[in-house]
Amino acid sequence: MNIYKLQYETKAQGDADLLAKGTYEVITEEGVTQDVYRNGTQAIVYLGKIVEVPATYDKDGKELTPPIYYDGVFYDLMTTEEFDFGIHELFPVNCVHSFLGYEKNAEGTDVDPDELIIE
Amino acid sequence: MSLLDDVSIVVTPNGYKAGELYAVIPVPTLGSEEVTNGDFATDSDWIKEAGWTISGGTANCTSASGKSLYQTNTLIAGRQYKLNFTVSNYSTGYLSSLGNDFGGVMAEANGTYEIIGTATGTSFGIVAQGSFTGSIDNVSVKEYTSADMDVTRATAATRVDEDGLVNYAEVVSDTELITNGDFATDTDWIKGTGWTISGGAAILDGTQTGGSSLSSSNMTVTVGKIYKVTVNVSATSSGFRLYDALGVVSYGLSLGENIFYRTPSSSTYTLTPLGLGGAAGTISNVSVKQVDRDNVPRIDYTGGGCPHILAEPQRTNLITYSEDFSQSYWTKQSGVTPTYNTTETLSPDGTYNATKFIGNGSSGVLKGGISVTGVIARSVYLKSITGTVNVVLKDPNLTVTQKTLTLTEEWQRFELIESNGTSTQGIWIDDIPASGIYVYGAQVEEGSYATSYIPTDGGTVTRNQDQFTRDGIGSLINSTEGVLFVEMAALSDDGTFRQLTLNDGTTANRILVDFTDASNQIRVFCGSGGVSQVSETFNVTSSLSFNKIAFKYKLNDFALWVNGVEVATDTSGITPIGLNKLSFNNGSGSFDFFGKVKQLQVYNTALTDTQLAALTS
């Protein structure tokens, strides 16, 4: 199984790239439009923004300082197929997301998310 | 006549293995041999493309790519076959199957192979790829009749077991990896001071002044796989620890059976019980076995009684420490005193990992600031320490609903499902009373209903969707008449289509039963050649309860039966063509069935009204 950890500038850019690579298909049936996994895709997980510096809260849970996020948005892709995602592929060492039963850093080697330069 | 005389497929929550849910009917059977001269006794019967020769009792190939060795008019498209063959004298390349019936890469080494696949055409062939050089022999192809369902999820998943415990659906290997774990002989273990082996146990006599270990011999394991480690402890004065190649497994083994799950980071694995100075006791029945959790179908006992097959959508637990409330990730408000991993009560997973919170009636524990919009399902297991108490479940970022929960001395999973209307949400267990509560397994997931518990420990975690399919069963489905019967319940009345079909691999030809986007509505549908023939709906009292639904199909004779009553008929319509697949989706991979199934049956005849009434009652 292949697990890709991906970073894009926007969700629209990420969705378009994953669609172009055939990882999913947009189907409209019975008036319902859905994303259907194709070509070996087991899961696409849109992680959105990832927190670099967590927010702080008071004792009642009210936010004192907001979180600071890494640039861009992030996805995890689990698939039986191999793809070349180019600069969008990351190799984080301390992943914020994993798949149940897999090691937390199931993919990862040495690139921190903020080290990636988005085109 | 018994219904069993006509039933061709019966699927129930029964036997399974990783990737497969066994059908009760039919019992898997093999047909007659479809290949002629599979032992290559003569240079005949096979069509040989460039690079292939037959001699010396084998088919031989030298440096060929995309070249086939095949026989025509051998298979029936849409049916399952079992292929056996042997590869010898291998040096390069690999073998694939003609039409990809048995996979893209069937063999790339010497060995004996057995592959079950579905024919896409009538020819059977083996294709040399990548400059394949080697020989093949003993080729056998027989029709394989089985309705065992392929199960795909590719991740682990939890369910409620027959004892009411929340645990992983898993298959434990029969292969024991530890040598002499039953201490049948005084061998294989390295004994420290005070250890002896006799009578089927390892005994520590307490004479050691410091820690004394008992080390197993090396085991070979697969990195990244999960292993179940079992150690039985008896007659101990306490002070027993367990270490393995990863480090500390337990600082305090309990009396009785101790079970741990470990994921080795090296292919060499060892297990080392250790007694502290003066500790005395007995270790026995040590076991290390591989566990498979990916793709294991879930036989779920939620609610008690008979189990059901559980099929859920992909979901992510956005809580990153679902059990470890000691993390600063969780805000423990002033007035709340936690006790982590309390041994006062077993948690819903059967271990001592719940957290006790003693409160003051006006504060609690919370996690806010989770970046998520829309409707989310917050869930958590709670119980009182004594009697019946109330707590409040709400969102910490913007409280819309304060849900007052009544906790008893039994674990219950409570839910709060709503959007707070902002882009950050969370979960807040508030107003914890002075008498205290136990907490376990917090979950926040996007969606309009909570799904099975997804444990997390330091990050968000995704459980993939469950997919059930069985193709290649054209011989078990009568396209011209029959009955599709299912006893099913929805996970939620959530306004989505959730479909079960007999189909031809497309949506053109299918017999369908589904929950529709209308509240508590079921539907049956027949499509033939891409044209809708029959579509009948019926509103059940509750789609969340199990309903017995049968769809009879026959030329100009269609009927929907629900819970013993014929609720709809249609006397006009033709039947599908070429049904050969059973799918928990619409036939082409969308509108997945997410729900619970107690039984699913396929009949090869259009049953009588009496039979249908009996079947659905």
Side-chain angles (χ1 to χ4, degrees):
Chain A
M1 198 61 68
N2 301 308
I3 296 174
Y4 293 98
K5 296 185 178 293
L6 305 169
Q7 181 187 37
Y8 295 91
E9 289 183 26
T10 63
K11 186 172 190 298
Q13 183 193 36
D15 289 349
D17 192 35
L18 290 165
L19 182 65
K21 287 184 164 58
T23 60
Y24 73 97
E25 186 178 4
V26 180
I27 293 177
T28 300
E29 292 170 308
E30 307 209 36
V32 178
T33 299
Q34 1 166 31
D35 296 346
V36 178
Y37 294 155
R38 296 296 192 210
N39 303 317
T41 299
Q42 305 298 307
I44 299 172
V45 182
Y46 176 66
L47 303 175
K49 291 182 173 297
I50 292 179
V51 173
E52 183 177 11
V53 180
T56 58
Y57 300 91
D58 68 12
K59 61 183 177 54
D60 293 322
K62 291 198 181 312
E63 187 176 274
L64 297 173
T65 59
I68 298 172
Y69 297 99
Y70 288 107
D71 290 338
V73 298
F74 299 82
Y75 294 78
D76 276 8
L77 167 67
M78 176 185 275
T79 173
T80 59
E81 301 302 304
E82 293 187 7
F83 295 98
D84 180 2
F85 286 100
I87 65 160
H88 297 293
E89 186 176 359
L90 302 177
F91 304 92
V93 293
N94 188 19
C95 298
V96 300
H97 170 263
S98 62
F99 291 96
L100 190 55
Y102 287 75
E103 287 293 301
K104 188 179 169 195
N105 296 313
E107 190 208 43
T109 50
D110 289 328
V111 179
D112 208 61
D114 62 351
E115 292 177 15
L116 183 86
I117 299 170
I118 295 180
E119 62 182 354
Chain B
M1 185 170 62
S2 166
L3 284 170
L4 290 176
D5 293 333
D6 294 315
V7 71
S8 59
I9 298 172
V10 176
V11 177
T12 64
N14 192 35
Y16 59 86
K17 66 176 183 180
E20 206 154 298
L21 175 67
Y22 297 134
V24 177
I25 294 174
V27 174
T29 55
L30 282 177
S32 56
E33 182 59 67
E34 304 290 353
V35 163
T36 305
N37 189 30
D39 61 358
F40 303 102
T42 59
D43 184 5
S44 60
D45 305 299
W46 293 89
I47 299 167
K48 299 166 290 183
E49 293 187 341
W52 285 98
T53 60
I54 296 176
S55 65
T58 59
N60 312 300
C61 185
T62 303
S63 194
S65 301
K67 302 301 181 185
S68 301
L69 176 75
Y70 65 100
Q71 296 185 1
T72 58
N73 300 320
T74 305
L75 311 177
I76 298 173
R79 294 197 178 181
Q80 282 185 103
Y81 292 89
K82 179 179 278 188
L83 164 65
N84 294 87
F85 64 101
T86 302
V87 176
S88 59
N89 303 318
Y90 170 86
S91 63
T92 57
Y94 66 95
L95 296 172
S96 65
S97 69
L98 197 61
N100 214 18
D101 298 343
F102 300 94
V105 178
M106 295 196 304
E108 48 186 344
N110 286 334
T112 299
Y113 296 87
E114 179 177 291
I115 303 170
I116 294 172
T118 301
T120 56
T122 58
S123 294
F124 165 75
I126 292 175
V127 187
Q129 303 283 10
S131 300
F132 176 78
T133 297
S135 301
I136 62 171
D137 195 6
N138 301 319
V139 177
S140 170
V141 177
K142 295 178 179 178
E143 184 173 353
Y144 182 69
T145 305
S146 165
D148 297 345
M149 297 203 73
D150 290 339
V151 181
T152 307
R153 190 181 52 244
T155 65
T158 65
R159 53 84 190 245
V160 175
D161 72 10
E162 57 271 38
D163 298 319
L165 298 175
V166 177
N167 57 31
Y168 286 100
E170 62 185 22
V171 175
V172 181
S173 168
D174 292 332
T175 303
E176 179 58 69
L177 297 178
I178 200 160
T179 304
N180 194 30
D182 59 358
F183 302 103
T185 59
D186 186 6
T187 57
D188 305 298
W189 294 84
I190 300 170
K191 297 170 290 184
T193 302
W195 285 100
T196 57
I197 295 176
S198 68
I203 302 149
L204 184 61
D205 61 12
T207 59
Q208 74 281 6
T209 55
S212 179
S213 62
L214 177 73
S215 299
S216 74
S217 52
N218 289 344
M219 291 163 263
T220 300
V221 295
T222 303
V223 174
K225 287 284 186 182
I226 300 167
Y227 291 84
K228 183 178 184 179
V229 175
T230 308
V231 178
N232 199 67
V233 178
S234 60
T236 177
S237 59
S238 78
F240 276 76
R241 295 180 175 180
L242 183 65
Y243 296 83
D244 68 1
L246 292 165
V248 178
V249 180
S250 171
Y251 276 127
L253 292 174
S254 305
L255 275 175
E257 189 177 59
N258 294 260
I259 296 174
F260 306 97
Y261 290 92
R262 306 291 284 174
T263 306
S265 56
S266 163
S267 59
T268 300
Y269 187 73
T270 55
L271 205 59
T272 308
L274 177 143
L276 299 177
T282 300
I283 300 281
S284 60
N285 296 321
V286 180
S287 171
V288 179
K289 292 181 175 179
Q290 185 179 312
V291 173
D292 283 319
R293 291 176 175 167
D294 299 350
N295 301 319
V296 175
R298 287 183 287 173
I299 309 303
D300 189 76
Y301 290 77
T302 299
C306 295
H308 54 262
I309 301 161
L310 178 61
E312 290 185 313
Q314 174 184 319
R315 287 289 179 91
T316 300
N317 189 353
L318 300 172
I319 294 289
T320 60
Y321 289 98
S322 65
E323 297 170 12
D324 186 358
F325 292 89
S326 71
Q327 296 288 335
S328 59
Y329 173 85
W330 287 98
T331 299
K332 279 80 70 175
Q333 295 181 293
S334 59
V336 172
T337 304
T339 303
Y340 307 111
N341 299 315
T342 177
T343 55
E344 294 176 4
T345 186
L346 290 167
S347 75
D349 74 359
T351 65
Y352 293 113
N353 60 358
T355 297
K356 179 171 77 171
F357 286 106
I358 301 296
N360 60 8
S362 61
S363 58
V365 56
L366 63 98
K367 173 57 195 175
I370 298 171
S371 181
V372 59
T373 57
V375 175
I376 64 170
R378 306 157 185 82
S379 59
V380 64
Y381 289 89
L382 302 170
K383 66 179 276 193
S384 69
I385 292 175
T386 181
T388 300
V389 301
N390 292 335
V391 298
V392 169
L393 185 59
K394 58 188 181 183
D395 186 274
N397 287 89
L398 182 62
T399 298
V400 177
T401 300
Q402 296 195 65
K403 192 172 184 179
T404 300
L405 313 177
T406 302
L407 279 55
T408 69
E409 293 177 25
E410 299 294 324
W411 284 108
Q412 298 175 75
R413 194 184 196 203
F414 295 96
E415 301 172 0
L416 173 63
I417 299 163
E418 65 182 15
S419 169
N420 71 1
T422 78
S423 60
T424 55
Q425 307 192 58
I427 184 171
W428 189 353
I429 304 148
D430 200 12
D431 296 355
I432 296 173
S435 61
I437 63 170
Y438 298 114
V439 181
Y440 169 83
Q443 186 154 310
V444 169
E445 55 192 305
E446 287 186 78
S448 62
Y449 59 96
T451 62
S452 60
Y453 174 54
I454 304 168
T456 68
D457 185 23
T460 60
V461 176
T462 295
R463 179 205 59 243
N464 291 356
Q465 65 181 359
D466 297 282
Q467 299 174 81
F468 295 82
T469 58
R470 174 68 275 155
D471 57 8
I473 52 174
S475 63
L476 298 174
I477 304 172
N478 186 351
S479 295
T480 57
E481 67 170 288
V483 172
L484 173 59
F485 165 73
V486 61
E487 183 178 3
M488 66 182 189
L491 301 174
S492 171
D493 190 24
D494 64 351
T496 62
F497 292 97
R498 290 140 290 170
Q499 305 188 333
L500 295 162
T501 56
L502 301 174
N503 61 77
D504 65 348
T506 73
T507 57
N509 291 285
R510 54 182 174 158
I511 293 293
L512 175 151
V513 175
D514 73 352
F515 293 115
T516 74
D517 59 349
S519 179
N520 293 317
Q521 187 180 77
I522 60 169
R523 175 182 58 171
V524 292
F525 175 89
C526 172
S528 181
V531 178
S532 172
Q533 301 294 322
V534 173
S535 181
E536 299 290 344
T537 60
F538 179 74
N539 279 30
V540 294
T541 303
S542 172
S543 62
L544 304 182
S545 302
F546 280 95
N547 291 283
K548 294 181 177 179
I549 302 155
F551 181 29
K552 178 184 73 172
Y553 60 95
K554 188 177 181 180
L555 178 66
N556 299 328
D557 182 9
F558 297 84
L560 167 60
W561 287 74
V562 179
N563 299 331
V565 178
E566 186 180 60
V567 297
T569 60
D570 192 324
T571 56
S572 176
I574 61 174
T575 56
I577 303 160
L579 301 178
N580 58 21
K581 190 171 182 178
L582 168 61
S583 304
F584 280 33
N585 60 43
N586 73 337
S588 67
S590 58
F591 292 133
D592 293 288
F593 178 84
F594 298 127
K596 308 168 186 176
V597 173
K598 279 189 175 176
Q599 52 178 330
L600 185 152
Q601 300 177 13
V602 177
Y603 290 83
N604 269 332
T605 59
L607 300 176
T608 66
D609 286 356
T610 302
Q611 289 175 312
L612 287 163
L615 183 65
T616 57
S617 293

